[in-house]
Amino acid sequence: MATDTRALMGTAVAAHHAGKMAECDALCQSILALDPRHTEARLLSGIVAAKMGRTEAAIERLRQVVQVDSRSFAAFNWLAMLLRESDRVAEATECAERAVSLVPSEPDALNNLAMCYVRSNRSAEAVGAFSRAISIRPHQPLYHYGLATALDSLNRTQEAVEALEKAIRLSPDPSWMLQLGTVLLGEGQALKAAKICRRALDIEPNLALAHLLLSQALEDLGESDEAKDHFDSAIVLQPQPHEIYKIRGLRRQSIGQFQAARDDFQRSIEIEPSQGFAYYGLVSSARVTEDDRPLLAKIEQVIQTGRVAPSEAAYLHFALGKALDNLGDYAGAMDCFDEANRLVREARLLDRPFDRERMARRIDDTIALFCRERMSHALENATDSELPVFVVGMMRSGTTLLEQILSSHPEVGGAGEQSFWVNLQPSAVDFEGKRIDETAIVEGGPRFCRLMHELTPDRRFVIDKNPANFFALGSIHLGLPRARIIHMIRHPVDTCLSIYMTPIRNPADFGCDRSNIVFAYRQYLRLMAHWRSVLPSDRFLEVRYEDLVQDRQAATKQIVGFCGLEWDEGCMHPEENIRSVRTPSFWQVRQPVYTTSLDRWKRYEKVLGPFTDLLEP
């Protein structure tokens, strides 16, 4: 029998190499009929089933292989790919990690693992895996493209641009050019975005999204007639034109063209009523009034049909919640936010549950490592640049408003949310070993300054408003001892309510659950109390959101003075700042500074649930 199976296996392998999948599969089944424990035949039959599009059969066969051979790299790697494509991301990630542990130097396996991390919203780990794959096989364009996608999700914009440019040099893929154009346009580089779009259209003239993106870039450049021509082309070429209107609406929101954005979202809905995002775009572009009751009824009708995907359904519930909030039905609004967060939690966060113990331990370790003694001694050769200004705080605390106010000063630029220092932490700080790599921190200072200068040249100061930088203020101050840090503080319940009520592209692992949000907020307060005690007062300023809104001029003058700037009246009109706003605060920062968001929690007092704990003194 051994001779028979050996001969059959040789024939099966030859058939596989010749692309004769059905013949190969039949031969594998013949071998397994003779010897059910023939692992090599079962592995090949699983791979062949995958190539023939028989995904479930392939998964079952490959699972049988790993049950008897826990060191089968090929089985784990193929399982990871198939499970990821079948949206079983948690299991796919386990298989991919196992494959990499078996063969750490296989770049395709690292790429596979990185793609699993991307799907699990573990972008920082994805960056590491993509980077390892690139170090082994630097001329594979897919690895660079994957790296760019992960970097962009972390708001490491300049690095994402560089990775995309490398991918395009290796393989001039028009879809990658569009990704690059989108990033460039979001950073206000309309001329470069237009150039890359034209290059994509030279390769593929009928690419609808290239015409759309080019139209947006041309609008920014003041070329309205040509912009309209390209938008019209996009509508004609796009099989689902509602997507074109939705994308343009989102872009118009980001630059403060709210009525035009509403028109686009409305047109998108007219073409395709069974969706979610356009409804949220519509209600988030203006305050909802009683005249909008028909819109609410339409949203409820779409929800009741059950025809939209969970991610789109979540936007419907967020939209309805925002509308009911505007109309004063706070209990009804909270019911909608509860359902929206449940949908997001099930769709996006089940694969990465919030680990309270891990977060508390990380805060403990940070406080211990960056103690008063260490923070009081400057590192040798640390840069003395004052270019960066860091605006930090819990998300939804008003950091975007503060950035808009300060970047309205002619000597200040805004760089959005950069993840440079948060992502430097793993290599610079060994929490388990209780060690800090001072060289990595010192070298990080000039690299970060170069990045900020590239993003916003010819400015005396450039703002990094990543709220999560509060985790890394120790490294930031040691690497940039002359940099200024502004901590934005908002009423704790108002902050946590806003987190819960706002759809976020990449939700935090503690998001979507009220008790987890409260726990994370308390850990944030604990760490900020430490930074308050160890950072020098001339480099660290705390600003209350409520003061900035209620006594705007005094608070703004304090901020401007802290930066060593002369007063400029433009800081009193942040709504006129033409910067693109890529955070969920696009509506608020385009309005004159308003007080309606103060003590918002009082309207929800009867339905606060776990948030009530933050009212305790």
Side-chain angles (χ1 to χ4, degrees):
M1 184 175 70
T3 303
D4 292 342
T5 56
R6 189 180 303 115
L8 285 171
M9 193 66 209
T11 306
V13 170
H16 180 235
H17 288 163
K20 300 175 181 179
M21 298 301 160
E23 180 182 334
C24 177
D25 190 39
L27 288 164
C28 288
Q29 298 311 311
S30 297
I31 295 168
L32 291 167
L34 293 169
D35 181 5
R37 293 177 298 179
H38 200 295
T39 305
E40 188 180 355
R42 197 171 299 280
L43 172 61
L44 184 56
S45 73
I47 294 172
V48 167
K51 292 182 177 181
M52 294 172 69
R54 296 162 54 196
T55 301
E56 291 307 315
I59 289 172
E60 178 59 29
R61 294 173 184 181
L62 293 167
R63 279 178 172 156
Q64 290 171 359
V65 173
V66 299
Q67 284 172 2
V68 298
D69 183 2
S70 62
R71 299 191 61 79
S72 176
F73 164 78
F76 280 111
N77 200 41
W78 273 95
L79 264 175
M81 288 187 285
L82 294 168
L83 290 165
R84 172 169 50 81
E85 292 167 1
S86 302
D87 293 325
R88 285 168 272 189
V89 182
E91 188 180 356
T93 303
E94 291 178 5
C95 291
E97 288 173 337
R98 178 62 177 154
V100 169
S101 72
L102 290 167
V103 186
S105 60
E106 171 50 56
D108 283 342
L110 287 163
N111 181 67
N112 191 16
L113 175 59
M115 292 173 72
C116 288
Y117 285 150
V118 168
R119 290 287 302 277
S120 301
N121 297 310
R122 295 163 63 178
S123 298
E125 292 166 279
V127 168
F130 280 127
S131 298
R132 285 167 60 195
I134 289 168
S135 69
I136 298 166
R137 190 178 293 162
H139 300 300
Q140 170 53 262
L142 285 170
Y143 300 168
H144 291 280
Y145 175 74
L147 176 62
T149 302
L151 289 166
D152 187 47
S153 70
L154 291 168
N155 294 312
R156 293 166 63 175
T157 309
Q158 187 59 35
E159 294 170 88
V161 167
E162 292 169 2
L164 277 170
E165 288 174 340
K166 288 178 183 176
I168 291 166
R169 281 198 297 272
L170 292 166
S171 177
D173 186 316
S175 65
W176 297 354
M177 294 175 189
L178 293 190
Q179 181 112 358
L180 176 58
T182 300
V183 175
L184 291 169
L185 191 61
E187 292 301 305
Q189 300 183 51
L191 191 60
K192 288 184 178 179
K195 183 178 179 180
I196 197 71
C197 288
R198 293 188 193 280
R199 186 179 168 192
L201 287 170
D202 285 342
I203 298 170
E204 194 170 334
N206 293 330
L207 194 57
L209 291 179
H211 285 284
L212 173 63
L213 190 61
L214 180 54
S215 75
Q216 294 171 339
L218 290 169
E219 277 191 1
D220 286 5
L221 294 169
E223 303 290 340
S224 301
D225 291 341
E226 189 181 358
K228 183 179 183 305
D229 290 342
H230 283 285
F231 182 78
D232 291 343
S233 296
I235 292 295
V236 171
L237 294 167
Q238 174 60 263
Q240 297 178 309
H242 71 280
E243 292 287 344
I244 296 293
Y245 285 103
K246 187 171 70 175
I247 294 169
R248 188 172 71 169
L250 182 61
R251 166 67 182 163
R252 285 175 160 175
Q253 270 187 336
S254 75
I255 58 176
Q257 297 178 2
F258 293 108
Q259 185 53 55
R262 283 178 61 84
D263 292 342
D264 280 339
F265 290 131
Q266 186 61 56
R267 183 70 181 116
S268 178
I269 290 167
E270 289 170 0
I271 297 169
E272 177 49 78
S274 295
Q275 58 168 306
F277 184 85
Y279 290 98
Y280 183 76
L282 203 56
V283 302
S284 62
S285 295
R287 186 170 183 81
V288 175
T289 69
E290 287 294 336
D291 292 339
D292 295 307
R293 285 286 181 182
L295 173 61
L296 274 67
K298 185 61 179 288
I299 294 173
E300 289 175 332
Q301 181 183 358
V302 177
I303 291 172
Q304 289 168 5
T305 65
R307 295 176 184 171
V308 295
S311 58
E312 290 291 300
Y315 278 115
L316 289 170
H317 288 283
F318 275 121
L320 192 56
K322 193 269 185 186
L324 293 174
D325 174 273
N326 287 170
L327 294 171
D329 181 0
Y330 303 116
M334 185 58 80
D335 287 341
C336 293
F337 294 131
D338 284 340
E339 179 61 13
N341 280 280
R342 182 191 69 79
L343 289 165
V344 174
R345 189 166 59 248
E346 292 183 356
R348 309 272 313 267
L349 299 176
L350 286 183
D351 293 331
R352 52 186 183 105
F354 180 49
D355 188 338
R356 295 187 180 193
E357 183 179 338
R358 182 176 182 273
M359 183 180 193
R361 186 168 61 250
R362 180 55 53 86
I363 300 297
D364 290 339
D365 292 343
T366 300
I367 291 171
L369 275 171
F370 294 95
C371 59
R372 182 184 299 277
E373 181 180 0
R374 185 186 296 277
M375 296 295 287
S376 63
H377 294 89
L379 297 183
E380 187 176 355
N381 298 321
T383 180
D384 61 355
S385 174
E386 295 188 65
L387 176 70
V389 175
F390 295 91
V391 175
V392 303
M394 178 56 81
M395 62 173 70
R396 309 300 300 156
S397 62
T399 56
T400 301
L401 174 61
L402 197 157
E403 182 196 31
Q404 285 290 103
I405 289 172
L406 193 51
S407 65
S408 296
H409 193 287
E411 293 188 66
V412 182
E417 298 181 5
Q418 300 299 315
S419 296
F420 181 95
W421 289 97
V422 172
N423 290 305
L424 184 68
Q425 288 279 89
S427 60
V429 184
D430 179 0
F431 287 103
E432 292 185 5
K434 313 298 183 187
R435 293 188 301 272
I436 295 175
D437 185 342
E438 295 183 353
T439 300
I441 290 174
V442 168
E443 290 176 351
R447 284 198 292 124
F448 181 72
C449 290
R450 286 194 295 272
L451 169 64
M452 298 293 274
H453 179 74
E454 288 171 4
L455 291 172
T456 312
D458 304 321
R459 298 296 174 97
R460 180 179 168 189
F461 297 109
V462 184
I463 302 167
D464 175 357
K465 67 150 294 270
N466 186 350
N469 274 330
F470 77 82
F471 282 110
L473 290 184
S475 298
I476 287 170
H477 180 66
L478 291 177
L480 293 161
R482 298 295 298 163
R484 292 168 173 82
I485 299 165
I486 305 175
H487 176 212
M488 194 70 180
I489 307 170
R490 185 182 180 187
H491 189 287
V493 183
D494 279 344
T495 302
C496 292
L497 266 177
S498 187
I499 293 171
Y500 196 66
M501 295 162 63
T502 306
I504 298 173
R505 182 176 67 162
N506 293 306
D509 54 2
F510 60 79
C512 305
D513 180 281
R514 287 193 247 183
S515 62
N516 282 343
I517 294 171
V518 170
F519 181 89
Y521 190 85
R522 283 178 165 158
Q523 296 305 308
Y524 144 78
L525 288 179
R526 192 159 66 91
L527 185 55
M528 288 311 305
H530 173 70
W531 297 135
R532 187 180 301 118
S533 71
V534 299
L535 290 170
S537 59
D538 65 332
R539 298 295 108 181
F540 181 71
L541 174 69
E542 295 190 291
V543 177
R544 285 176 47 82
Y545 175 82
E546 290 77 11
D547 292 342
L548 189 59
V549 170
Q550 290 178 311
D551 193 357
R552 181 160 44 115
Q553 188 169 58
T556 303
K557 285 188 173 181
Q558 180 191 25
I559 295 164
V560 171
F562 172 71
C563 293
L565 292 162
E566 295 294 326
W567 175 250
D568 188 276
E569 194 64 25
C571 295
M572 292 299 292
H573 304 284
E575 69 277 7
E576 297 175 6
N577 194 326
I578 61 173
R579 292 180 58 251
S580 174
V581 179
R582 301 178 68 186
T583 73
S585 302
F586 51 76
W587 163 257
Q588 293 94 327
V589 300
R590 296 298 183 191
Q591 313 307 309
V593 176
Y594 62 104
T595 61
T596 55
S597 60
L598 299 182
D599 289 332
R600 192 179 189 184
W601 66 268
K602 291 181 178 179
R603 306 168 207 165
Y604 287 87
E605 194 164 9
K606 294 181 180 179
V607 291
L608 285 175
F611 291 151
T612 306
D613 295 346
L614 292 172
L615 294 173
E616 298 173 1

